């Protein structure tokens, strides 16, 4: 782009894509059609008495199209041609009864006031974009009786300068430095951020746009992300499931594996990058009834079995995330022909593939593992490449603590 702006190719392909949902005249693959998946998700939440609020993050190029080429004029205060198709899809959702928060006009207004809603050299929104989104989300749900009936838990905040080394920039490019509001718990002392609460009536589902400025592993600070800003606006902690590059499918899979996360919930805020509407996996996911709660085991165990399948690792540098978790489908565990498990493992660290990512199906493995739920808070936000098909639905899920060891047959 121009003036130091850099754009993500997947986002540009999304803006140039033909109609991507199953309306008359559109030929759309069922696995990539977002409309039935979102409507099905809404229906399941409706049945449970939970409201859904869909919050797609506008594409950077839709807000700053003139930074792509000198031949493109800056957009007016209303969405331009590049946002036209997404606006039409969101109107379809609304016509089907889904509550949608379209931030495009708010972002264009902020741009007109000299504010930048997106990072120049990064795929993500800026702290200013998060501030606007959190304010609009809080405004849209704050009038509900269940919000007013709860006592406020005030938090403290401060403005800090956060250096952003954009994930689209060259490694030696100078960082952007952006002002961000860092939120802290009630006293304003201690570590940045507000701890998530499983008991909160608010569940935020999101991707890296939720995690940025929030989870330290992304390298852009902490305590200044969407969850923290939303907690600060609402005056209470919220619950969160956010997985980098997982906005379309993986967060819904995660929720289906942990249906108890919906206990006591009044609203689910579903944030995802708008480009996911054409590049994401939108298979409908059935959320089962809540399971009886049991204390999570944390003891390690040794698993020995046959690797039936391994999820493919993206080429290093081809995605805007340097770390990735892969999936291993382990069968014949300890020689039992019917025993199988899903095992998550580090597949890439700092854009360097691990030994686990090079394993081949048919290999006999031995690995030290712990139940996934015991480490999910630590590793759950990292980009995770899940299986298609039945292996993704296995109930026994582990985390490989070290690289698996190949054992003789």
């Amino acid at each position: 782009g121009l003036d130091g702006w850099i754009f993500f190719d997947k986002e540009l392909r999304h803006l140039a894509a033909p109609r991507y949902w199953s309306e008359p005249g559109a030929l759309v693959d069922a696995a990539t059609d977002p409309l039935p998946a979102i409507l099905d998700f809404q229906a399941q939440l409706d049945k449970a008495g939970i409201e859904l609020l869909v919050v797609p993050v506008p594409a950077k190029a839709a807000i700053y199209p003139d930074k792509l080429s000198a031949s493109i004029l800056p957009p007016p205060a209303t969405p331009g041609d590049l946002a036209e198709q997404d606006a039409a899809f969101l109107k379809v959702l609304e016509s089907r009864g889904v509550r949608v928060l379209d931030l495009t006009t708010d972002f264009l207004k902020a741009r007109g006031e000299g504010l930048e809603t997106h990072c120049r050299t990064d795929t993500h929104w800026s702290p200013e974009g998060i501030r606007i989104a959190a304010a609009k989300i809080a405004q849209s749900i704050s009038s509900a009786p269940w919000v007013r009936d709860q006592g406020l838990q005030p938090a403290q905040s401060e403005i800090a300068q956060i250096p952003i080394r954009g994930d689209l920039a060259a490694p030696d490019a100078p960082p952007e430095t952006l002002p961000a509001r860092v939120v802290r718990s009630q006293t304003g002392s201690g570590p940045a951020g507000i701890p998530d609460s499983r008991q909160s009536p608010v569940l935020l589902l999101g991707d890296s746009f939720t995690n940025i400025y929030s989870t330290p592993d992304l390298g852009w600070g902490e305590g200044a992300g969407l969850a923290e800003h939303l907690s600060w606006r609402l005056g209470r902690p919220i619950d969160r499931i956010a997985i980098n590059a997982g906005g379309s499918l993986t967060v819904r899979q995660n929720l289906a594996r942990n249906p108890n996360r919906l206990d006591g919930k009044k609203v689910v805020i579903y944030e995802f990058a708008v480009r996911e509407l054409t590049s994401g996996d939108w298979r409908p996911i059935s959320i089962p009834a809540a399971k009886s709660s049991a204390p999570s085991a944390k003891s390690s165990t040794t698993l020995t079995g046959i690797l039936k399948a391994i999820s493919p690792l993206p080429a290093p540098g081809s995605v805007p995330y340097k770390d990735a978790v892969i999936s291993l489908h382990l069968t014949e565990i300890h020689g039992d022909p019917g025993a199988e498990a899903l095992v998550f493992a580090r597949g890439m660290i700092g854009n360097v593939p691990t030994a686990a990512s090079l394993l081949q199906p048919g290999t006999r493995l031995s690995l030290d593992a712990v139940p996934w739920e015991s480490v999910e808070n630590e590793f759950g936000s990292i980009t995770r490449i899940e299986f298609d098909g039945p292996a993704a639905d296995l109930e026994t899920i582990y985390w490989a603590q070290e690289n698996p060891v190949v054992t003789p047959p």
Side-chain angles (χ1 to χ4, degrees), residues 113-153:
E113 296 170 352
L115 303 172
E116 290 187 357
T117 60
H118 291 72
C119 299
R120 295 188 176 208
T121 63
D122 195 271
T123 55
H124 298 95
W125 51 11
S126 68
E128 182 63 27
I130 286 179
R131 182 194 68 79
I132 296 169
K136 298 297 289 188
I137 293 170
Q139 181 183 12
S140 70
I141 65 175
S142 59
S143 61
W146 58 265
V147 176
R148 298 194 302 268
D149 291 344
Q150 296 192 39
L152 293 179
Q153 300 178 20

Side-chain angles (χ1 to χ4, degrees), residues 21 31 54 75 103 147 150 157 165 171 175 188 212 224 270 291 355 377:
W21 64 94
V54 174
L103 295 166
V147 176
Q150 296 192 39
S157 69
R165 191 166 296 281
I212 194 169
Y270 190 11
K291 304 174 183 177
N377 286 343

Side-chain angles (χ1 to χ4, degrees), residues 153-332:
Q153 300 178 20
Q156 303 294 321
S157 69
E158 61 192 22
I159 301 297
Q161 299 295 321
I162 297 182
I164 307 296
R165 191 166 296 281
D167 55 16
L168 299 175
D172 57 351
E176 297 180 61
T177 301
L178 302 174
R181 183 174 294 278
V182 177
V183 179
R184 300 180 187 276
S185 56
Q186 297 175 21
T187 62
S189 60
I194 299 177
D196 296 344
S197 172
R198 296 284 180 97
Q199 286 71 47
S200 173
V202 180
L203 174 61
L204 172 61
L205 300 183
D207 54 14
S208 61
F209 283 78
T210 288
N211 286 330
I212 194 169
Y213 317 119
S214 182
T215 55
D217 61 286
L218 285 177
W220 291 296
E222 55 186 311
L226 181 60
E228 290 84 3
H229 273 252
L230 193 53
S231 295
W232 180 57
R233 294 275 180 180
L234 293 174
R236 56 187 49 79
I238 66 171
D239 195 7
R240 163 176 38 177
I241 300 174
I243 303 170
N244 299 338
S248 61
L249 177 69
T250 317
V251 290
R252 291 183 294 121
Q253 283 182 321
N254 199 96
L255 183 58
R257 289 172 180 149
N258 301 274
N260 296 60
R261 295 293 285 270
L262 291 177
D263 289 351
K265 295 298 182 285
K266 300 295 186 180
V267 62
V268 171
I269 301 160
Y270 190 11
E271 173 277 314
F272 52 83
V274 73
R275 64 175 180 263
E276 286 291 308
L277 291 171
T278 52
S279 62
D281 188 333
W282 289 100
R283 284 171 287 158
I285 298 293
S286 178
I287 303 173
K291 304 174 183 177
S292 59
S293 58
S296 60
K298 295 186 179 180
S299 58
S300 62
T301 186
T302 300
L303 298 178
T304 301
I306 304 295
L307 180 62
K308 183 174 182 179
I310 180 171
S311 61
L313 188 71
S318 65
V319 293
Y321 312 104
K322 298 179 180 179
D323 296 345
V325 169
I326 55 175
S327 305
L328 310 176
H329 182 189
L330 205 62
T331 60
E332 299 185 31

Side-chain angles (χ1 to χ4, degrees), residues 73-131:
L73 294 175
T78 54
D81 293 343
L82 286 179
E84 183 177 359
Q85 180 132 275
D86 291 328
F89 175 69
L90 299 185
K91 282 183 171 38
V92 170
L93 286 179
E94 289 179 325
S95 71
R96 303 290 186 91
V98 179
R99 283 194 67 195
V100 174
L101 181 58
D102 186 355
L103 295 166
T104 307
T105 299
D106 298 288
F107 281 13
L108 289 171
K109 179 182 177 182
R111 178 187 172 169
E113 296 170 352
L115 303 172
E116 290 187 357
T117 60
H118 291 72
C119 299
R120 295 188 176 208
T121 63
D122 195 271
T123 55
H124 298 95
W125 51 11
S126 68
E128 182 63 27
I130 286 179
R131 182 194 68 79

Side-chain angles (χ1 to χ4, degrees), residues 301-391:
T301 186
T302 300
L303 298 178
T304 301
I306 304 295
L307 180 62
K308 183 174 182 179
I310 180 171
S311 61
L313 188 71
S318 65
V319 293
Y321 312 104
K322 298 179 180 179
D323 296 345
V325 169
I326 55 175
S327 305
L328 310 176
H329 182 189
L330 205 62
T331 60
E332 299 185 31
I333 297 174
H334 305 311
D336 181 350
E340 56 183 341
L342 178 61
V343 181
F344 296 141
R346 298 297 291 264
M348 187 164 65
I349 302 175
N351 268 334
V352 178
T354 65
S357 70
L358 305 177
L359 294 169
Q360 298 296 318
T363 304
R364 182 178 295 276
L365 303 177
S366 180
L367 54 87
D368 292 328
V370 294
W372 167 243
E373 61 187 19
S374 69
V375 298
E376 187 175 358
N377 286 343
E378 182 178 359
F379 300 107
S381 66
I382 300 175
T383 302
R384 191 161 71 241
I385 298 92
E386 295 261 11
F387 288 121
D388 295 335

